[in-house]
Every structure is written in C-alpha cells, then in structure tokens.
Amino acid sequence: MFKITPMTATVIKNLFTRKSTRPYPHVVREPFELARGELYIDINDCIFCSICERKCPSQCISVDKKKGLWTCDPFACVYCGICMGVCPTRCLHHKKTWRPVATEREMISMQGTPPKAKKKSSAGKEPEGM
Amino acid sequence: MSKTIIPFGPQHPVLPEPIHLSLTLEDEIVVEALPALGYVHRGLEKLCEIRDINQMIQVVERVCGICSKIHAQCFCLGLEKMMNVEPPPRAEYLRVVWSELHRIHSHLLWLGLFADSFGFEALFYQLWKIRERVMDINEATAGNRVIISVNVLGGVRRDLSAEQVRWITSQLNMVEQELKDLQSTILDDYTIRSRTVGKGILTREKAYELGAVGPTLRGSGVAQDCRQLGSSALKHLEFQPVVEQDGDSFARNKVRFLETLQSISLVRQALKGLPKGEIKTKFKGSPEGEAVSRVEQPRGELFYYFKANGTKNLERLRIRTPTFANIPPLAAMLPGIELADVPVIVLSIDPCISCTER
Amino acid sequence: MDEKTYSENSADKPVEQPKAVLETRQIQAGSLKGEILLLKDQGYRFVTITCVDLDQESVDLIYTFDRGLEMVHLRIRQPKAESAPSVSDILFAAFLVENEIQDQFGICFDGLVLDFQNRLYLEEEVARTPFCRYNVTRNSK
Amino acid sequence: MNTIQIIMALIAGLFLAPLAVGLITGLDRRITARLQSRLGPPILQPFYDIGKLLGKEAILTNQWMAFCSLAYLAGAVISVVLFFLQSDLLLIFFVQAIGSVFLVMGALSVPSPYSQAGANRELLQILAYEPLLILVIVGIFLSTGSFKIGAVYAMDQPLLFKMPLLFLVLGIALTIKLRKSPFDISGSHHAHQEVVRGVYTEYSGPYLGIVEIAHWFEIVLFLCLISLFWSTGVVGLVILLGVTYFAEILVDNTTSRMTWKWMIGSAWSMGLVFSLINLLWLYYG
Amino acid sequence: MFSKFLQKCRVKSPWVLHFDCGSCNGCDIETLAVLTPVYDVERFGIINMGNPKHADVLLVTGTVNHRNKKVLRNLYDQMPSPKAVIAIGACGLSGGVFREAFNVVGGVDKVIPVNVYVPGCPAKPEAIIDGVVRALELFQAGPEGV
C-alpha cells in the first residue's frame, strides 16, 4: 500500500553524502576519449577533394579547390563526424572539447595550397580566421 | 457559469516543448481542450529530396533528440529491408545496447519531468541525477551525449571494447541500485498516488480504438510492443512487454518505471551475448520501391514509410511518430478534469512535440 | 566514391537490388469506408495515412491498419482536384493526419470532425502545399 | 514601554527581522539544494534577487498593481511592527490579512489568465490558513487570558507545553504561507507550476521586488508567532525555530504539490480537530 | 554605491526563460540538464522562470519557424530590460541540418538580437554554462553591454 513520504530517506542520505554537482567552470572534467567536439582540419594534409563538402549532412563545409580554401560554418556544423569518416587523407578531426561560445557570427576558413597537377607541395598554414 | 479560456503553452515551464492547448474552463474544470500544433514544424520529411539516404540518417536523428538513436535505427532497418542488406550480428546487438540505453535515459527524463509536473522537485532532481550516468555512457561510447549518431546503413559506426562493456555494466548496476532506492517513492508515495491515481483514465477499448501506442497503450492493459517483432538482436533476448491494467496516469508512470528496469536488463543481456565480428556490412546500390518499418520508441511505436526510385534520394519519406498517435487519446482524456491535473495528464502520454510535427 | 556507397573504404561485393514491394490492396475511394468498417470489425486499428505525390493529377493515399503487430495497407488513388472522403467520423484518430495532409498536399477532406483549415502546421506565408512537387495550387474550400 | 524600547523595537522589526529572514531564505535554498544533492546558490542569493528586481525596468499593466504591491508591503510591515511593539494579536492578525488580500486584488486586476487563476488559488490559501491562525490566537488567549503579546512573555513556562497540537496547526499555516509543498498552489519560488508563477505572474521588476519583501515580512510575522511558543529562553526559541524550519524544508522536499481541494480539506480537518482537542484541554484542563 | 550593488545583483541573479523555438529536444533537455544536480546552475543564482516578465536571460533553442517566430518576438518584448539572449545549438544559430527545410527561418538572430551563440548539436551542458557566464559578463559591462 501507500506510504507517507518514502522520499525522506533519500533526501536525508543526500544531505550527508557527497553532493553530485560538478563545479564547472571552476573544475573542468577530463573529456571522454571518443567525444566528438569541435571540428578542425590539418590543412596541410588536405587535398581539396570536396568529399567532406558532399557528404556533410548539414552542408556546412565548402571547399574551393582553385583557391585552396576550406571553409566550415561552425554554427551549422552538427558534430556528427561523417566528414571525419569519409576524408581520404584523415585530415579532419574532432577535438575532445566543445567549441567555445561566441558573441559574433564567425566562419572557420583555412587557407591551404591547392594540389598542383600531380605534384603536391607542402602547404603553408594560416591561423584560423576568427 | 463563467467560462475562461486558458492557454496552456506554447511556452510553459512544465513542458519544455511548445505545444499549445486552448483549455476552456468552467471553475477550474476543463470542458474542452483543443490542441494547436505547428510551433516545431520544420518539414523535414521534405528534406529527403535534397539529402541523400546517408545524410538523411543524421536528419531523422534530429526528428527528436531524446529518441534520436531509435529514429535512425528505424530508418536504417527500413532501407536495409529495401536493399536486402543484413547487418552483421555484432552490429545488431550493439544497436540493441544503444537503443535500450536511449530508452533508459528517455524514461528517466520523463519520470523526472512527470515528478516536476506535480511539483515534486526533489524527485525530479534525483532522477535526473541518475540519468547523468546514462548520458556519460552515451558520451563515452558514442561520442555525444544526446544525439549519438551511431547508426549507418548496414551496421553501426562505433564498437565497444571489452573494457567499455565492463564499465557500462558497472555503471548500469549503479543506475539500477539508485532506481530501486526510489521505487517506493515512485510507486507508493501518498502524495504522488493522490495526484495520479484515477487521473486521465483511458480504458482499454478507448486506448485501442484511438490508436494509442507505447506506454500509454500498455498502461491501459494492451500488451503490444514493437520489440515483440524481434528486430535487431531482440529476437535472441528475453523480453516480455510491461502491462498495467488501470489506464490512468499512475499506470503509465508505473509502466515506464518498470520498463526502465527492464531495459537495464536488456542491455545487460545484449552485452553478455555480444558476438564477435564485423560491425558493418558493405553494400552497393540505391533503394527502389516501397517499404515500411517500425520499431518501439520510448514513447511508443514508430512507423516509417519509404518510397524510392533507385536514386540516392528517397522520393517520399513519411514518419508517423508515437506522440502523433497519442494526441487523439490525449484530446479524449482532458475534458472533465481539473486545471491542476492538466500538466500531469498531458505529461502522462510523454508528449514529444518535435516528433509529432517533424 | 560518391556515386555508389557511403562506406569508408569501398571494396565491396555488389548485392543484387530487387525492387522492394509493399503489399497493399488497391481499392476505390467509394468503398473505402466500408472496407475500413470491415477491418474495424475484425479488430484492426488505425495506424496512419500516408500521402504520396504521384504526378500532376493525383496522389496515393495509403491507409495503414494494425492488429497484433500485423499490418494491412489499403491504397486509394486520389485525384488532386477532388475532395477525399474523411474517415475521421469512424476513426477519430485520423483527424490529425488528415489535417496534416490537407496542409502539406492541399487535398481537401470532406467531413473532417476537427478541421484546422489548412493551418495545422503552417502559417500564411508558407502555406503553399509544400510537399507537392508537381502541383502547387491549393483547393480553395 | 519607553521611547528607547519603542525605537529598538522599530529597528528590530523594520530592518533586522527582514535581514534575518533573507538569510534564513538563503539558508533554506542552500539546505534544499543539499537535500537534492546539489551545491545550491550563495547564502546571500535572496538579497541579490531582490536587488536585481529593484534595479529592473518597471513595466506595469496598470497603476492599480503598483498600489496593491505597496499596500501589501504596508500591511505586512505594520503587522510586524505591531508585533514588535507587543500589540494586540487580533489587531496584528487583521492587519496582516488585509495586506494579503491586496496582493490578490492586484493579481485580479489584470486580465491575464494565469494571474487570475493564481489569485483565485491565493484566496483559497488565505481561506485555508486564516481560520487556523484565529484558532491559534484563541488558544493563546485561553492559556494567557489576554490577546496581548506581553502576556505571553509574562508566562513562566513555554506555551508549547500547553498547546502542542495548536503548534502543529500553526505549522500547517506556516507551510501554506511559505508556499512550500504540498501547498505551493498559487505560486512558488521555483516556477515549476501549472499556473506559471500564479499570483506573482503579472508583478514584474521592482514591484515583484516589493512583493517579495512584503512576503519576507509575512514570514517574519509567522516566525514570530512560532517564537511565542518558547518565550522563556533564547536558546530554546532558536532551537524551536530551527527545528520547525528544517521540518518545513523536509516536508517541501518529500511531497508533491497537491490540489486546492485537498489543501482546504486537510488543512481544515486536521487544523480543526487538533485545535478543538487542544482548546478543550486548555478550557477544562 | 547603490548602483554598484545593483550591478552586482544583476550579475548574481540571472533568471532565465527557456523557449523551445522548434528544436529537436536535444538542446532543450541539455538546457534542462544544466538545472539538475550534476550541473546545478542555481550556484550562479540562475532560476528557470516560466514567465518572461520575470526573466533576465532568454535561452532559445531550435530552428525558429514561421509560426513560433511571432511567439519568440512576443516573449522578447515582454521581458523588461536589461536582458540578454542566448541562442543554443546549431539550429538556433543557423538552422543546422534543417536550414533548407521549407518551414525554417533559420537562426534566432533573424528575429531578435542575440548576445551569445552556443554552438553544438546538441550543445553540451558545460557549453551552455559557458554561454550563460559569457552573457553575465555582458551584464557586468553595464546596461550598454547588453
């Protein structure tokens, strides 16, 4: 049958045991090994094949082969990891932590060297265009 | 007698989602309840024409964040049926593990919100605290907390290591223990019972006729659960649907609570029987023809219809979600109850509006 | 890479692709209600209606029923210019999906018990029968 | 009472008492959080909340609401001051009741349905606890022979021993007044409500701040009433208040919100039975 | 002195209003999760208010469609200033996967001004806390900052 307040035991137990609150942001928990966080690209390895652009479910990546420009709209990225899986050179990765919050709309665009016919030179990397 | 019309929603603290009900009241008694939808409608079925079938997995996952894995699974099952692709056994077991984990987190979420709907905050917080363990399992194994994106056509994307299997089992043991500590509160507490017993009664006949699904149907005494179809590895696992006879909010509450424990047992069984081998079948080609598929979501039966024409894009995708089916029973339950019971009864069908409107 | 499969390294054994067939029973719009009452007597319950755009003139309406996890599908071919019979008077549960089809395909249902007047989901500015690929005029009521 | 005593009482009633209640409320939120396995807000949180509300933009639906919130505040403040001046219990009771009614009138003056529903329920709450208060005051009269607060302090043993059941009755009234579960029907601090924030819905910005301060004064009054039950020693008084308040928090965390019918039914039946037994005992004992 | 105290109170007591503007629930439940014991944003004085008239910070999740953009606008107008708006998740920022769907406006900032964007799909609770903390920094900067 019913009881009056069976919750009492639980709340009293809570009072005398450790609280479960994680004191974020003062203490940041170690992220999980496989967590899918912010997307980034090793632009040096990118061959501008545009597979990521075509496979992205959110259509947030655009690749300009001529200029050697890889652009991603981080505000549309859904962090699914599809592009990472299909990249032939494995140059796309997810960081383990999430992308920081922003107050302005911004794009990630990375300038690499587009592959010359046959020959692939080492590409210069520019900082993220924040 | 004076009639007042109270808008329930679209923005309401009890309900995180925007459903709008116009409640016509006579002295705090509801005489009419009209649902108004459209606040979450995105029209994503239409997206199948511009996204290919692989991209659509990510889209249908986002029909509803709470049961995303199961949406993707239903989509994959249907297309695999159309294309005659058989996922490897390990993938089938892994699918069960993740879908049941999703069911656990969804039910815990719901039990918490339900407690919140009658103002039992301590219970709400306690259940969500337990739920965080399941979210951690999701994040550790699949890389994301809510939308875990593990399904692909022909299998799954992530594998579990032996160490992870042990860790999941130990975490689930804790979840089970903590839940059992709350059992007497959820099932026996006087204040909870007096708020839920006999509220929002749906008789067995009404539930069946109005097309109720999931715990709403099973709380009314009909033992129907799509998991009985034995899709994925469920055919190898021991499973009996949870049924309650009373058909009131309390019965639905009880069904969900017991199902949570049952899902823990299913995950355990699936992890124990996890076969070795591949996690994905490779295949070629595009689907053609028509098919339907259905699986059991935390909220009930999910139904997909596919029509394809041999290209990479589907011609028509239709998603009938469980809440869509549960709204007519809800509309039948509301008249005649008190205003104070409206949140309780609305929540008792576990409404998922983003599912409903897609 | 892009034309065939999604799989990451596409070394595959091609599988024959037969055309998937959904077993449906084609019936006439006039006999729809009778058939539904018959199914109802046999203990079937309503699952949903699916509307599929076929061409300029017509759509398919697929009525799905279920009994103990076993499904039956009825199919009628519905001309877009004509009103479809509403089954919401015998199956209350159908009112929502019929309103949805009204919104998305512009098909009118005669005798809907709860009619949202094409405004179930969509506001004025986008209410242009978005799911029709071939025809974008709405039947005015 | 001489002038210095009166000034002291005024300072205590007007400044110290609400400050103390602010701290108690902060402590309440902290303990509640711990019971829910959380860390909880800083102890000074209630003051921050009030400060922020006072600094917000004032959007008023009508002028009447501003007047009502001020009248509510005035009622609460005057009743507390009267208490500290050791005035007549009945007078205090009526001043407080009038103040509470103004809160409802303000909420009723707006056509918002949530505010209306909340106001209705607030009226029902007032209806539920005011009779209980009267019974308690009658009990005090029976045991001291006077409605004056001074008479209580003149007693040589705590009232609690004479009227333990009436103390429980006052506990019920306190739960209703604190808006704690199972009686958080017309509005609560945490807005998880079927009527959004009920009676508070339409008060906003600084006026909500005023209403909150008035509510603090009401809590002061109720805690003062409770303190009357142990008037003989400060230590006993503090312990009694602490235990009572902790019991309130515990009840809040272990019950769900009930409906107004249940509230009226249980508050009246329990309250009447308990007080009747206690009053008969006082009368014939 | 007094205005400094008010300033401090403003930072210490942000009451949030959460509005689901057509999200898939992913971000909603993460927004709710930040209120629960494990993240417990009441540490920062944050209370989830159901009432726009009492709220200081508006958390918006979801794609924004043609029907609820009016509700969103209305809620925003009902909030007394100073106020801040935080858009959460890929959908709230740009429409996410649904950008090309027909009933999607795409992004909260097409309807009301947004102060902080929290990316993610769904945004992690930690990221949402970051977002709120960032919005509080704007409060700190004074009413002009918001």
Side-chain angles (χ1 to χ4, degrees):
Chain A
M1 260 332 279
F2 67 82
K3 295 167 189 154
I4 297 296
T5 48
M7 192 69 188
T8 317
T10 314
V11 291
I12 296 285
K13 198 171 139 198
N14 279 338
L15 186 61
F16 294 109
T17 49
R18 220 161 53 86
K19 46 192 168 287
S20 54
T21 306
R22 297 176 193 150
Y24 186 87
H26 307 297
V27 182
V28 181
R29 195 165 66 130
E30 191 62 29
F32 287 107
E33 198 50 46
L34 295 169
R36 282 197 303 267
E38 183 179 355
L39 183 70
Y40 74 100
I41 184 168
D42 289 331
I43 196 74
N44 293 347
D45 294 339
C46 180
I47 54 168
F48 300 96
C49 61
S50 318
I51 289 178
C52 50
E53 178 181 343
R54 265 172 284 145
K55 293 293 179 187
C56 175
S58 183
Q59 305 279 294
C60 69
I61 302 176
S62 59
V63 180
D64 191 333
K65 194 165 184 171
K66 286 211 188 84
K67 290 188 194 142
L69 203 61
W70 183 91
T71 329
C72 168
D73 182 355
F75 281 13
C77 175
V78 293
Y79 306 91
C80 59
I82 297 285
C83 50
M84 190 176 102
V86 294
C87 179
T89 62
R90 299 267 180 273
C91 67
L92 284 161
H93 301 276
H94 281 287
K95 289 181 187 164
K96 279 185 240 164
T97 51
W98 56 95
R99 190 178 167 79
V101 301
T103 47
E104 304 267 300
R105 195 166 271 283
E106 62 199 23
M107 297 290 266
I108 308 175
S109 62
M110 300 288 277
Q111 177 70 55
T113 313
K116 306 276 175 337
K118 295 277 168 182
K119 207 173 77 189
K120 184 168 169 271
S121 61
S122 65
K125 186 183 169 186
E126 280 184 13
E128 289 186 29
M130 290 265 177
Chain B
M1 211 175 279
S2 68
K3 282 190 183 178
T4 26
I5 294 178
I6 277 210
F8 182 81
Q11 189 278 325
H12 195 276
V14 167
L15 216 60
E17 285 186 280
I19 186 182
H20 180 88
L21 290 172
S22 309
L23 303 172
T24 312
L25 297 182
E26 262 173 22
D27 290 341
E28 295 223 354
I29 301 283
V30 178
V31 286
E32 197 182 8
L34 262 184
L37 305 173
Y39 294 98
V40 205
H41 183 59
R42 289 152 287 185
L44 64 84
E45 290 169 353
K46 182 78 176 163
L47 279 178
C48 71
E49 290 163 20
I50 47 172
R51 301 266 196 267
D52 72 30
I53 47 175
N54 295 308
Q55 293 172 337
M56 271 314 277
I57 296 174
Q58 307 300 321
V59 176
V60 296
E61 276 201 318
R62 285 160 180 83
V63 169
C64 165
I66 307 177
C67 28
S68 57
K69 157 72 182 62
I70 306 179
H71 269 287
Q73 178 168 340
C74 192
F75 185 83
C76 290
L77 282 177
L79 283 181
E80 282 158 10
K81 196 157 77 184
M82 282 172 104
M83 294 193 282
N84 264 337
V85 180
E86 184 90 8
R90 189 176 175 87
E92 301 218 309
Y93 272 79
L94 287 174
R95 280 183 178 178
V96 170
V97 170
W98 273 306
S99 7
E100 294 308 315
L101 281 172
H102 249 73
R103 195 181 315 276
I104 297 169
H105 107 69
S106 171
H107 276 353
L108 286 175
L109 174 142
W110 177 84
L111 284 164
L113 285 181
F114 191 57
D116 194 31
S117 76
F118 44 73
F120 205 143
E121 271 173 41
L123 182 57
F124 164 56
Y125 284 134
Q126 191 71 20
L127 284 160
W128 278 60
K129 182 182 125 190
I130 301 173
R131 177 176 168 269
E132 281 299 321
R133 284 193 200 282
V134 186
M135 305 311 281
D136 277 352
I137 298 178
N138 275 348
E139 190 173 4
T141 57
N144 211 344
R145 281 164 53 88
V146 179
I147 295 180
I148 59 175
S149 316
V150 287
N151 280 299
V152 284
L153 292 175
V156 288
R157 278 167 68 191
R158 294 255 174 138
D159 203 352
L160 293 181
S161 66
E163 194 193 341
Q164 278 177 322
V165 168
R166 270 195 302 279
W167 180 70
I168 296 175
T169 318
S170 70
Q171 288 288 311
L172 281 180
N173 287 344
M174 284 196 256
V175 171
E176 191 173 28
Q177 188 50 48
E178 283 166 312
L179 261 180
K180 286 197 167 147
D181 287 346
L182 288 179
Q183 181 159 356
S184 64
T185 304
I186 294 171
L187 300 183
D188 298 326
D189 183 80
Y190 167 72
T191 51
I192 294 183
R193 288 186 68 106
S194 61
R195 283 308 298 276
T196 54
V197 172
K199 301 286 161 69
I201 292 183
L202 194 65
T203 58
R204 190 192 151 95
E205 293 72 34
K206 264 244 138 89
Y208 191 79
E209 191 201 318
L210 291 175
V213 291
T216 315
L217 179 68
R218 292 195 285 279
S220 293
V222 183
Q224 181 164 332
D225 188 322
C226 281
R227 282 178 286 177
Q228 288 166 299
L229 288 167
S231 60
S232 299
L234 280 165
K235 49 189 170 288
H236 308 299
L237 306 176
E238 201 182 306
F239 170 76
Q240 276 300 323
V242 180
V243 186
E244 280 296 317
Q245 301 300 331
D246 297 341
D248 55 4
S249 302
F250 181 74
R252 297 192 269 277
N253 179 18
K254 193 168 176 187
V255 166
R256 291 200 176 92
F257 178 72
L258 296 177
E259 272 186 9
T260 317
L261 296 176
Q262 182 189 48
S263 289
I264 294 176
S265 136
L266 277 175
V267 176
R268 247 192 230 129
Q269 287 180 44
L271 285 177
K272 206 181 251 172
L274 198 63
K276 293 204 161 41
E278 284 290 303
I279 54 165
K280 193 156 82 189
T281 308
K282 299 186 175 91
F283 64 94
K284 268 193 167 178
S286 298
E288 194 172 3
E290 279 181 304
V292 295
S293 74
R294 51 179 176 168
V295 294
E296 186 76 9
Q297 251 195 4
R299 285 156 192 78
E301 171 193 313
L302 176 67
F303 172 93
Y304 270 58
Y305 166 89
F306 307 87
K307 185 172 185 187
N309 49 12
T311 63
K312 277 153 51 69
N313 293 354
L314 290 174
E315 201 177 316
R316 170 88 167 114
L317 171 69
R318 157 116 177 101
I319 306 168
R320 199 295 312 260
T321 54
T323 310
F324 195 88
N326 275 334
I327 282 186
L330 176 67
M333 269 186 258
L334 283 175
I337 59 158
E338 281 178 50
L339 174 65
D341 293 330
V342 171
V344 176
I345 291 171
V346 171
L347 267 176
S348 78
I349 67 157
D350 197 354
C352 175
I353 308 306
S354 72
C355 268
T356 314
E357 304 179 4
R358 304 170 300 280
Chain C
M1 172 86 197
D2 55 324
E3 68 272 63
K4 287 274 151 40
T5 91
Y6 158 72
S7 64
E8 287 160 28
N9 33 2
S10 47
D12 342 15
K13 33 191 185 318
V15 182
E16 256 318 293
Q17 292 294 317
K19 188 173 168 171
V21 181
L22 181 69
E23 273 187 35
T24 56
R25 192 141 53 86
Q26 185 85 39
I27 55 166
Q28 295 303 313
S31 59
L32 178 68
K33 280 194 183 179
E35 293 275 354
I36 287 176
L37 285 174
L38 215 65
L39 281 173
K40 220 176 150 185
D41 283 344
Q42 291 166 14
Y44 280 91
R45 67 194 199 119
F46 175 75
V47 176
T48 195
I49 309 173
T50 307
C51 181
V52 186
D53 204 22
L54 290 178
D55 50 35
Q56 289 283 354
E57 275 81 45
S58 53
V59 294
D60 256 353
L61 290 175
I62 304 172
Y63 291 74
T64 307
F65 293 85
D66 155 279
R67 184 178 66 183
L69 296 173
E70 157 212 350
M71 280 193 287
V72 168
H73 308 277
L74 304 178
R75 187 196 297 264
I76 63 171
R77 204 180 165 98
Q78 174 67 40
K80 283 181 184 170
E82 289 170 26
S83 294
S86 168
V87 294
S88 58
D89 49 345
I90 43 176
L91 296 165
F92 177 67
F95 82 90
L96 209 54
V97 65
E98 288 185 347
N99 273 301
E100 180 182 303
I101 293 170
Q102 236 177 223
D103 258 33
Q104 295 177 335
F105 292 89
I107 309 285
C108 280
F109 282 86
D110 271 347
L112 252 175
V113 288
L114 217 61
D115 194 344
F116 287 87
Q117 303 287 348
N118 299 330
R119 294 289 177 276
L120 177 67
Y121 290 151
L122 303 175
E123 289 291 279
E124 191 63 51
E125 56 259 49
V126 278
R128 298 275 182 278
T129 62
F131 274 69
C132 286
R133 264 167 299 167
Y134 304 105
N135 188 355
V136 286
T137 48
R138 178 183 290 279
N139 294 346
S140 56
K141 289 200 115 181
Chain D
M1 257 202 224
N2 59 32
T3 327
I4 296 175
Q5 272 176 324
I6 289 178
I7 292 174
M8 293 271 282
L10 278 178
I11 291 175
L14 283 178
F15 300 104
L16 296 182
L19 282 182
V21 166
L23 283 178
I24 289 176
T25 319
L27 212 58
D28 171 0
R29 284 175 68 175
R30 190 80 176 199
I31 292 171
T32 304
R34 287 299 284 117
L35 289 176
Q36 294 163 350
S37 191
R38 298 186 286 131
L39 189 62
I43 307 261
L44 291 179
Q45 189 61 44
F47 297 103
Y48 296 139
D49 288 349
I50 297 275
K52 177 208 66 178
L53 284 173
L54 292 178
K56 285 211 67 144
E57 179 192 10
I59 300 180
L60 263 187
T61 338
N62 57 32
Q63 293 301 316
W64 180 238
M65 290 203 82
F67 172 73
C68 283
S69 61
L70 287 171
Y72 175 42
L73 178 67
V77 171
I78 292 170
S79 58
V80 168
V81 168
L82 283 175
F83 189 94
F84 277 87
L85 294 176
Q86 309 219 335
S87 171
D88 191 297
L89 274 173
L90 277 179
L91 178 67
I92 294 172
F93 166 78
F94 281 111
V95 172
Q96 180 270 335
I98 289 169
S100 330
V101 170
F102 269 103
L103 172 70
V104 179
M105 281 161 73
L108 277 176
S109 71
V110 195
S112 147
Y114 289 123
S115 180
Q116 296 272 340
N120 277 333
R121 290 172 179 206
E122 178 74 15
L123 275 181
L124 289 164
Q125 287 201 353
I126 294 175
L127 208 63
Y129 76 77
E130 298 286 351
L132 303 185
L133 272 189
I134 289 273
L135 287 169
V136 171
I137 291 172
V138 169
I140 292 176
F141 173 77
L142 282 182
S143 31
T144 62
S146 160
F147 282 114
K148 288 276 180 206
I149 294 170
V152 178
Y153 287 109
M155 303 209 358
D156 49 1
Q157 62 158 329
L159 268 180
L160 186 63
F161 297 138
K162 277 197 163 179
M163 23 198 285
L165 290 178
L166 277 172
F167 181 73
L168 288 180
V169 174
L170 188 61
I172 298 176
L174 178 68
T175 320
I176 299 179
K177 199 68 225 180
L178 283 175
R179 305 188 193 290
K180 287 201 176 289
S181 269
F183 301 119
D184 49 347
I185 289 168
S186 72
S188 72
H189 281 274
H190 294 268
H192 297 149
Q193 278 283 338
E194 58 251 24
V195 286
V196 190
R197 286 209 80 200
V199 69
Y200 294 139
T201 307
E202 290 298 317
Y203 293 98
S204 67
Y207 300 102
L208 182 66
I210 290 172
V211 168
E212 289 282 351
I213 294 174
H215 189 229
W216 284 8
F217 273 100
E218 285 198 309
I219 296 175
V220 171
L221 184 69
F222 271 73
L223 292 182
C224 286
L225 278 179
I226 284 186
S227 74
L228 283 184
F229 280 75
W230 201 288
S231 52
T232 50
V234 179
V235 180
L237 188 150
V238 171
I239 291 176
L240 182 72
L241 280 181
V243 169
T244 317
Y245 209 94
F246 184 74
E248 292 290 344
I249 298 174
L250 204 58
V251 168
D252 184 35
N253 276 295
T254 52
T255 52
S256 49
R257 184 191 311 125
M258 303 301 276
T259 55
W260 63 266
K261 278 182 188 156
W262 187 89
M263 173 186 72
I264 300 249
S266 62
W268 279 2
S269 59
M270 264 158 57
L272 285 180
V273 169
F274 282 3
S275 17
L276 206 65
I277 297 173
N278 211 155
L279 290 176
L280 286 174
W281 173 36
L282 281 176
Y283 195 72
Y284 294 107
Chain E
M1 167 65 192
F2 186 64
S3 71
K4 216 166 207 166
F5 174 69
L6 285 187
Q7 196 83 34
K8 190 176 177 201
C9 291
R10 198 165 290 157
V11 178
K12 286 276 191 180
S13 157
W15 290 356
V16 302
L17 171 72
H18 166 226
F19 182 56
D20 174 342
C21 221
S23 111
C24 73
N25 276 343
C27 296
D28 297 332
I29 55 178
E30 296 294 61
T31 311
L32 267 183
V34 302
L35 301 169
T36 57
V38 176
Y39 298 99
D40 186 33
V41 286
E42 209 188 341
R43 285 179 290 148
F44 308 108
I46 296 172
I47 296 181
N48 184 18
M49 277 291 149
N51 184 355
K53 293 188 177 157
H54 298 173
D56 308 289
V57 178
L58 178 61
L59 300 177
V60 193
T61 54
T63 54
V64 186
N65 68 22
H66 291 283
R67 180 163 288 180
N68 62 25
K69 72 179 181 196
K70 294 162 194 163
V71 184
L72 178 63
R73 180 86 235 172
N74 189 4
L75 283 177
Y76 181 76
D77 290 339
Q78 277 187 44
M79 285 170 59
S81 42
K83 56 192 168 186
V85 178
I86 304 179
I88 295 172
C91 291
L93 305 185
S94 67
V97 239
F98 308 117
R99 271 180 302 166
E100 281 136 333
F102 63 87
N103 199 25
V104 166
V105 177
V108 177
D109 53 4
K110 297 205 172 146
V111 185
I112 55 174
V114 172
N115 299 107
V116 180
Y117 298 91
V118 182
C121 185
K124 288 206 163 46
E126 284 99 337
I128 298 176
I129 294 179
D130 282 346
V132 175
V133 170
R134 190 66 181 272
L136 295 184
E137 284 165 13
L138 298 178
F139 275 135
Q140 190 114 49
E144 309 81 39
V146 180

